[in-house]
């Protein structure tokens, strides 16, 4: 439904041009927009006019017009004055408001269509039929861009983006959750990822200028059909998540730049832990001193070039060789050998991924998700033994979804279920308020 503010702005604009007082009344007789407070007195007459079969009528020296939305009466427009000129101007004003209703409804329908498209809630045949009905081109180059806005004086990123970048009717700006804004960008005037990068930098600069901090932007690959937009959106979502783990120093990341990080992100947790144990034994990369870690990262940055690395670290070449030899004795990997360097680099990334999963927020979520089934079990059955049997079954089959979207076995859910079970068992055995009153009084 069109907002009252839009209607108010519209009739004020028409009044400026026509020098005619206007008033819009809804079907309940409530004035929702008026160019003058004196027009409010016609609300009762407008309500009576709504019950009549006429589409326009002169009442109490004013012209009354009905405004419909798909054969359904929505508003009554009152034009101050009588005569042919007032009737003509009033009819034009009513026609303008009618067109506004159609335009805003179409915009709302398009927004719903894009949301369902991104979330894969549409059948293939529905995608093309609805796109045709909404006049959305089915075959066009597009990319999905996700914008995550942090805190700021105005965190309504969706409204800010629509106000500044929503003029192009080929682009769609929407949101499917409260954290992210999605831009489905038409690329008919863009050819390369460099241009998309420049656009994302423009988005980021604008939002920061508006006071939004910690802006992160990610985008998927370019697609050529409307049905593939959801794939680009999923890629952008993955790029946003993976970027926070392996490219935390960057605010803008493309799915095509994720590299091996995208593969590590999809590995099972037990496999990751097994790999780390095989590479580092009982040690962890965190156990290396800062000097060793700095040497390793700089060596990788310089493509395993010993001379350039020693120059940038301001150390003698032999010192660098000594450090690499020392690392080889500890891990069994010689970073000067390409295969060993790749193995070590992957191990560092896997360890970084595991540290991300150890986030306290994820842990709390696992405890909550694990505890809920236990609470339900004891609510259904107060018998500890029978619930324990069900709990044992869940012990072997419980799966918890973490931020990465993968399913893995976890002990957190089991412990949480046991704790939750005993708490509810104690609660079930507590006396009722009536029993307590009998004991105390």
């Amino acid at each position: 439904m069109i907002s009252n503010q839009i209607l108010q702005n519209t009739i004020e604009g028409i009044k400026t041009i026509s020098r005619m007082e206007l008033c819009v009344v809804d079907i309940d007789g409530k004035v929702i927009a008026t160019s003058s407070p004196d027009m409010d007195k016609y609300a009762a007459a407008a309500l009576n006019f709504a019950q009549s079969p006429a589409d326009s009528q002169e009442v109490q020296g004013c012209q009354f017009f009905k405004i419909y939305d798909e054969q359904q009466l929505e508003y009554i427009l009152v034009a101050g004055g009588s005569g042919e000129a007032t009737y003509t101007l009033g009819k034009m004003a009513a026609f303008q408001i009618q067109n506004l209703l159609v335009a805003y409804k179409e915009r709302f329908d398009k927004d719903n269509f894009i949301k369902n498209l991104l979330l894969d809630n549409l059948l293939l045949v529905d995608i093309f039929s609805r796109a045709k009905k909404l006049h959305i081109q089915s075959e066009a180059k597009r990319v999905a861009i996700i914008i995550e806005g942090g805190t700021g004086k105005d965190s309504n990123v969706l409204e800010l983006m629509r106000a500044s970048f929503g003029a192009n009717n080929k682009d769609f700006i929407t949101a499917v959750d409260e954290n992210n804004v999605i831009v489905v960008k038409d690329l008919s005037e863009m050819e390369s990822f460099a241009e998309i990068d420049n656009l994302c930098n423009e988005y980021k600069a604008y939002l920061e200028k508006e006071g939004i901090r910690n802006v992160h932007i990610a985008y998927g690959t370019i697609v050529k059909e409307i049905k593939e937009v959801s794939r680009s959106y999923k890629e952008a979502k993955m790029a946003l998540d993976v970027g926070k783990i392996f490219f935390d120093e960057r605010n803008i990341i493309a799915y095509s730049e994720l590299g091996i990080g995208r593969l590590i992100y999809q590995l099972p947790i037990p496999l990751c832990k097994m790999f780390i144990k095989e590479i580092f034994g009982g040690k962890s990369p965190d156990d290396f001193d800062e000097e060793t870690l700095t040497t390793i990262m700089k060596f990788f940055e310089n493509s395993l070039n010993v001379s350039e690395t020693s120059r940038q670290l301001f150390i003698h070449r032999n010192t660098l060789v000594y450090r690499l030899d020392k690392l080889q004795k500890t891990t069994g990997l010689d970073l000067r050998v390409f295969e060993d360097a790749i193995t070590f680099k992957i191990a560092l990334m896997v360890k970084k991924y595991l540290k991300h999963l150890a986030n306290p927020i994820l842990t709390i979520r696992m405890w909550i998700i694990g505890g809920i089934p236990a609470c339900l079990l004891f609510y259904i059955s107060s018998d500890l033994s029978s619930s324990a049997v069900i709990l044992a079954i869940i012990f072997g089959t419980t799966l918890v979804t973490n931020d990465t979207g993968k399913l893995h076995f976890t002990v957190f859910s089991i412990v949480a279920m046991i704790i939750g079970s005993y708490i509810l068992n104690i609660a079930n055995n507590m006396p009722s308020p009536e029993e307590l009153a009998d004991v105390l009084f």
Side-chain angles (χ1 to χ4, degrees):
M1 181 62 66
I2 191 171
S3 69
N4 293 354
Q5 186 60 48
I6 296 294
L7 286 172
Q8 184 66 40
N9 293 341
T10 301
I11 65 171
E12 285 178 358
I14 295 173
K15 178 194 173 181
T16 303
I17 298 170
S18 64
R19 306 295 182 187
M20 178 179 63
E21 299 294 350
L22 295 166
C23 176
V24 179
V25 183
D26 65 15
I27 56 176
D28 296 321
K30 180 183 177 182
V31 176
I32 58 176
T34 180
S35 61
S36 171
D38 295 336
M39 298 294 291
D40 292 357
K41 62 185 179 183
Y42 297 109
L47 186 59
N48 292 331
F49 170 68
Q51 308 301 322
S52 71
D55 288 334
S56 62
Q57 192 174 0
E58 185 175 327
V59 181
Q60 298 179 8
C62 293
Q63 297 287 350
F64 288 68
F65 302 90
K66 290 181 179 178
I67 299 173
Y68 294 91
D69 180 18
E70 292 186 352
Q71 310 303 319
Q72 182 72 33
L73 181 62
E74 288 289 338
Y75 302 115
I76 305 297
L77 175 69
V78 183
S82 58
E84 190 68 28
T86 303
Y87 174 82
T88 302
L89 291 172
K91 195 71 174 175
M92 292 173 63
F95 181 73
Q96 175 67 17
I97 295 174
Q98 181 111 23
N99 284 341
L100 277 176
L101 286 173
V102 174
Y104 271 79
K105 188 173 182 179
E106 182 176 300
R107 178 179 174 181
F108 179 75
D109 287 345
K110 283 184 178 180
D111 189 63
N112 275 341
F113 170 69
I114 294 298
K115 285 180 180 178
N116 286 317
L117 179 67
L118 294 172
L119 297 174
D120 278 335
N121 290 339
L122 297 172
L123 296 174
L124 185 60
V125 65
D126 292 334
I127 292 175
F128 289 105
S129 62
R130 290 188 64 181
K132 184 178 180 180
K133 183 179 179 181
L134 294 170
H135 308 290
I136 298 174
Q137 193 173 352
S138 296
E139 295 185 2
K141 289 199 303 181
R142 295 182 177 92
V143 67
I145 304 171
I146 295 182
I147 303 170
E148 182 183 79
T151 58
K153 65 178 183 180
D154 183 1
S155 294
N156 196 347
V157 179
L158 179 61
E159 292 304 318
L160 289 172
M161 289 296 297
R162 280 178 172 171
S164 293
F165 301 98
N168 187 349
N169 58 10
K170 293 183 179 181
D171 298 338
F172 305 99
I173 302 175
T174 187
V176 295
D177 56 49
E178 60 183 8
N179 300 318
N180 303 320
V181 172
I182 301 103
V183 180
V184 179
K185 178 66 182 173
D186 181 86
L187 299 179
S188 55
E189 299 178 0
M190 294 186 183
E191 295 294 334
S192 65
F193 284 108
E195 291 177 291
I196 301 175
D197 250 9
N198 292 336
L199 178 66
C200 291
N201 277 303
E202 186 180 341
Y203 290 161
K204 179 175 177 290
Y206 167 72
L207 292 173
E208 289 177 344
K209 183 181 177 182
E210 293 295 324
I212 306 297
R213 298 186 296 273
N214 301 323
V215 177
H216 291 87
I217 302 177
Y219 59 91
T221 54
I222 299 172
V223 297
K224 295 182 179 179
E225 287 188 286
I226 189 75
K227 66 179 182 180
E228 296 177 330
V229 167
S230 63
R231 174 168 61 83
S232 183
Y233 165 67
K234 292 171 186 173
E235 292 170 348
K237 199 170 186 308
M238 179 181 283
L240 190 67
D241 293 338
V242 176
K244 290 177 183 177
I245 303 172
F246 302 115
F247 306 93
D248 51 349
E249 74 285 352
R250 295 179 58 179
N251 297 107
I252 299 173
I253 186 74
Y255 177 80
S256 58
E257 298 172 331
L258 297 181
I260 199 170
R262 176 163 57 94
L263 299 177
I264 295 172
Y265 179 78
Q266 299 178 82
L267 289 175
I269 305 303
L271 185 61
C272 291
K273 291 181 178 179
M274 188 186 305
F275 178 70
I276 291 295
K277 188 175 181 180
E278 289 174 358
I279 299 300
F280 297 110
K283 295 192 68 177
S284 165
D286 297 331
D287 297 333
F288 294 129
D289 56 67
E290 179 133 2
E291 182 183 76
T292 302
L293 288 173
T294 303
T295 301
I296 293 169
M297 299 314 297
K298 189 61 69 173
F299 192 55
F300 286 146
E301 285 176 19
N302 290 288
S303 303
L304 314 184
N305 189 312
V306 175
S307 299
E308 183 61 24
T309 303
S310 59
R311 186 185 69 81
Q312 291 189 18
L313 290 173
F314 303 103
I315 59 176
H316 194 275
R317 177 189 173 94
N318 291 343
T319 303
L320 176 59
V321 171
Y322 168 75
R323 292 180 184 176
L324 295 175
D325 288 340
K326 183 181 176 182
L327 185 65
Q328 183 180 3
K329 290 178 182 178
T330 306
T331 63
L333 297 173
D334 185 357
L335 299 192
R336 289 159 292 191
V337 178
F338 180 75
E339 287 80 3
D340 287 354
I342 287 291
T343 302
F344 195 90
K345 176 68 173 176
I346 293 174
L348 289 178
M349 294 180 71
V350 169
K351 185 61 182 177
K352 194 171 185 180
Y353 171 55
L354 290 175
K355 284 179 69 176
H356 170 76
L357 292 182
N359 188 311
I361 295 176
L362 298 180
T363 303
I364 292 171
R365 180 186 298 176
M366 291 176 182
W367 280 73
I368 292 173
I369 296 175
I372 289 174
C375 296
L376 293 174
L377 284 174
F378 270 89
Y379 180 78
I380 295 170
S381 172
S382 59
D383 181 12
L384 182 62
S385 60
S386 62
S387 295
V389 173
I390 305 175
L391 199 61
I393 297 172
I394 295 182
F395 181 88
T397 58
T398 298
L399 295 169
V400 174
T401 305
N402 62 16
D403 259 1
T404 67
K406 300 192 306 293
L407 294 174
H408 64 279
F409 291 97
T410 175
V411 70
F412 289 103
S413 58
I414 309 305
V415 176
M417 283 196 298
I418 294 172
I419 293 174
S421 299
Y422 278 103
I423 290 173
L424 280 177
N425 190 47
I426 293 170
N428 286 336
N429 293 325
M430 285 183 66
S432 66
E434 292 79 8
E435 292 173 333
L436 284 175
D438 291 340
V439 172
L440 294 175
F441 304 107

